[in-house]
Amino acid sequence: MSSGGDAHGTPDGAAVDGRGVPDSNVDAAGESVQGDGGAGGTPAAEGGALREAGLVNPPAAEVATGAAEVAAGKAEETAGEACGTTAAGDSAAGGPCAGQGEGAVAASEPAHADGGAGGTPAAEGGALGEAGLVNRPAAEVATGKGEETAEEACGTTAAGGSAAGGPCAGQGEGAVAASEPASGSCVTAGDARRAAAHWARSVGCHLPGVWGIYLSGSVVEAPDQQLWPPWSDVDLMLVTDGPGGELPREKFLHRGVLLEASPLPAQRLASPEAVLADYHLAQGLRRNTLLCDPDGRLAPLQRAVEAQFARRRWVRARMAQAMEKSQRGLSGLDPASPFWAQVNGWAFSTGVMTHVLLVAALRNPTVRRRYHAVRELLLAAGRAPLHEALLEALGSAYWTAAQARGHLEALLETVDACGALMRTPLPWSADLTASSRPILSQGLRADIEAGGHREAAFWIVATAARCQGVLAADGSPADRARHGGPWRWLLEDLGIPDERALLQRAALGRALLPRVLAAGEELLAENPAVWERED
């Protein structure tokens, strides 16, 4: 998923108006395809197009039931159930997939009829082997053999609590709020993919202007039986033209899984070359994760991207794109913009340096956890000093876990206040809704407790800056005063209390860029998966 616009937390490198709101005329390229503040998230109070279309923020009982169904392996409809097919495999009259390719579907292939990947050979898996059934024998697929129940997978008791020592112990037991996924349900990555596929085929593919959907982000590479944390969203890219281009980016629960649906204008997929040079788009299409492609328009593009993804010239092109984004953002902080918008732009532009390295290593350029991902990469490569330099540029190199916990708790109070206040559509509105709260309340807390408190600072400051944008747009003077103290405290701890300090920090980041690029070239040269064909 992947996972909005990066350099300024708005469309990539976007200018902002007097309130820090993105200029709508700026190209919406950048991290919107990974779910990081994409164009036009709709406040929860307004409902939004996806909420009207289906299953966004369902009641608490439905959330709990859906989570249990996913964990028990009940969420995945058969091709016949999803498409209204008959026992013989033909599309029933009036079924949602009628006329999209009838006949029996092999267990190892994605179904044309339900908007699958367009007949990818079974050996390639195809749409993650029906969104989670990868390389499993046909008999197991047909009977459900090998799917553990929630109790078997998690060691849960009949009462629903986690049994001592179960792999889900400590994930949070008891009642589930309507806005948060059930944290004790022990959903796997395969379950999450199946929930995403169900929504894509039953709802997403029928939205106006949507002619293709594919999975993106970290869920793509996760093993089928890996536990999927309730605070991790699943990124769905909705390829749109016509009226579908107006769809907002939204996060919502479906069958107990947090999904993020992001519109992707079709013109950005104009050619394989355009995709291969874009590090977020290329990552999302490097594998066949197509969930909806009824006209077969996406499948040839995906195959072309997959074939060339690891070619040296394209890896370098994507590294150059990330370098340019970081350089442009760090050089272009606008003193006429509100300070919170300058901080937001600086944070994302600084954070893009991690993407240069992740792209060089052919790793997922994740959004929220970018510093965690680059730490894993650099420590394994024997380059720990560079990671420390990246944290120094962020300002959190010397943070303690207690500091991070304190800032997180203060941030949660501000986020809850902003969720109630939001009226003005902003590019990152979806990240401040009740559906997104587990990412902070559970995900960031888990990162901090696991020793990633310094790396967690990135998403803390990014979210805090966005909250200040909401308060500026929709808050009262009293609201801004109430939440101004924690904001100033955070800036002090990052060493950027004012514009002068922020400009100095941006200069520090620019000075680090050549070192980052040199390390990226070394990682590229050391990677045996990267190749170059002699033309």
Side-chain angles (χ1 to χ4, degrees):
M1 307 291 196
S2 122
S3 225
D6 195 61
H8 292 266
T10 64
D12 179 26
V16 293
D17 66 17
R19 297 172 302 140
V21 177
D23 181 343
S24 60
N25 295 320
V26 179
D27 175 41
E31 293 188 358
S32 58
V33 298
Q34 279 295 93
D36 178 30
T42 302
E46 297 183 5
L50 298 183
R51 189 166 293 104
E52 294 174 2
L55 302 181
V56 178
N57 291 337
E62 188 175 331
V63 172
T65 301
E69 288 182 358
V70 170
K74 298 177 182 177
E76 175 68 0
E77 292 182 312
T78 65
E81 292 170 332
C83 296
T85 53
T86 65
D90 298 323
S91 295
C97 303
Q100 289 190 24
E102 303 169 356
V105 180
S108 58
E109 291 191 31
H112 282 263
D114 60 10
T120 301
E124 295 180 18
L128 293 183
E130 282 302 295
L133 306 177
V134 179
N135 296 329
R136 290 178 55 196
E140 289 192 12
V141 173
T143 63
K145 181 181 178 182
E147 295 290 333
E148 295 180 308
T149 65
E151 290 78 13
E152 292 169 336
C154 295
T156 52
T157 64
S162 294
C168 296
Q171 285 195 28
E173 302 166 2
V176 180
S179 60
E180 298 201 12
S183 58
S185 61
C186 210
V187 173
T188 66
D191 295 328
R193 289 190 285 262
R194 283 185 284 274
H198 177 266
W199 183 87
R201 292 161 182 168
S202 62
V203 177
C205 210
H206 306 287
L207 294 175
V210 174
W211 55 263
I213 302 177
Y214 64 90
L215 278 174
S216 187
S218 56
V219 73
V220 172
E221 298 178 359
D224 197 50
Q225 293 303 316
Q226 176 180 309
L227 295 182
W228 189 251
W231 55 82
S232 289
D233 54 13
V234 175
D235 296 311
L236 286 165
M237 304 310 304
L238 278 58
V239 184
T240 63
D241 54 21
E246 302 304 317
L247 288 173
R249 181 178 69 91
E250 295 199 48
K251 294 179 189 280
F252 53 92
L253 287 169
H254 183 73
R255 299 199 165 194
V257 176
L258 183 62
L259 304 183
E260 177 170 341
S262 299
L264 175 62
Q267 57 264 34
R268 293 191 59 196
L269 305 179
S271 68
E273 292 76 19
V275 174
L276 284 163
D278 185 306
Y279 70 87
H280 280 309
L281 292 181
Q283 179 68 29
L285 289 168
R286 69 179 295 190
R287 292 183 176 86
N288 182 358
T289 62
L290 307 186
L291 300 179
C292 171
D293 187 26
D295 298 329
R297 296 163 68 180
L298 280 175
L301 174 68
Q302 187 280 319
R303 287 193 293 269
V305 171
E306 183 174 6
Q308 295 284 314
F309 179 82
R311 188 174 181 180
R312 190 177 308 276
R313 60 174 292 195
W314 293 120
V315 181
R316 280 210 170 105
R318 296 191 293 269
M319 290 170 60
Q321 181 201 31
M323 283 288 295
E324 192 273 336
K325 284 175 63 177
S326 185
Q327 177 71 49
R328 173 162 40 89
L330 291 172
S331 301
L333 298 182
D334 183 2
S337 296
F339 189 52
W340 66 263
Q342 296 181 53
V343 171
N344 197 34
W346 159 79
F348 278 99
S349 300
T350 300
V352 171
M353 286 191 278
T354 68
H355 287 165
V356 176
L357 301 167
L358 293 170
V359 166
L362 302 185
R363 298 198 182 189
N364 178 30
T366 187
V367 176
R368 177 177 67 85
R369 302 191 75 252
R370 63 185 70 189
Y371 281 90
H372 304 272
V374 85
R375 177 185 65 180
E376 177 184 329
L377 169 65
L378 292 176
L379 293 185
R383 292 176 171 85
L386 179 56
H387 183 59
E388 295 301 316
L390 290 170
L391 292 175
E392 288 180 10
L394 183 63
S396 60
Y398 303 104
W399 271 28
T400 66
Q403 274 179 293
R405 290 188 199 102
H407 288 303
L408 175 58
E409 294 308 317
L411 176 61
L412 288 171
E413 292 185 14
T414 304
V415 167
D416 290 341
C418 288
L421 290 170
M422 280 195 299
R423 294 294 181 272
T424 303
L426 295 169
W428 54 82
S429 296
D431 295 317
L432 301 179
T433 61
S435 295
S436 298
R437 194 180 193 276
I439 294 173
L440 302 172
S441 63
Q442 300 177 44
L444 273 181
R445 183 172 286 117
D447 287 337
I448 291 168
E449 298 309 319
H453 50 278
R454 302 185 301 165
E455 291 78 9
F458 168 73
W459 203 242
I460 289 175
V461 67
T463 305
R466 292 167 168 188
C467 284
Q468 292 299 309
V470 172
L471 292 169
D474 299 322
S476 66
D479 293 323
R480 290 190 283 273
R482 184 178 306 114
H483 299 287
W487 169 242
R488 290 189 293 273
W489 170 39
L490 173 61
L491 296 179
E492 288 282 355
D493 274 4
L494 288 171
I496 49 171
D498 52 37
E499 290 188 10
R500 179 180 179 182
L502 185 65
L503 289 173
Q504 291 174 341
R505 184 63 59 77
L508 176 65
R510 292 196 302 272
L512 183 58
L513 278 169
R515 182 178 171 188
V516 169
L517 180 59
E521 286 289 347
E522 292 172 359
L523 292 169
L524 184 65
E526 296 167 4
N527 193 336
V530 175
W531 59 274
E532 187 61 74
R533 185 180 64 209
E534 295 295 334
D535 292 323

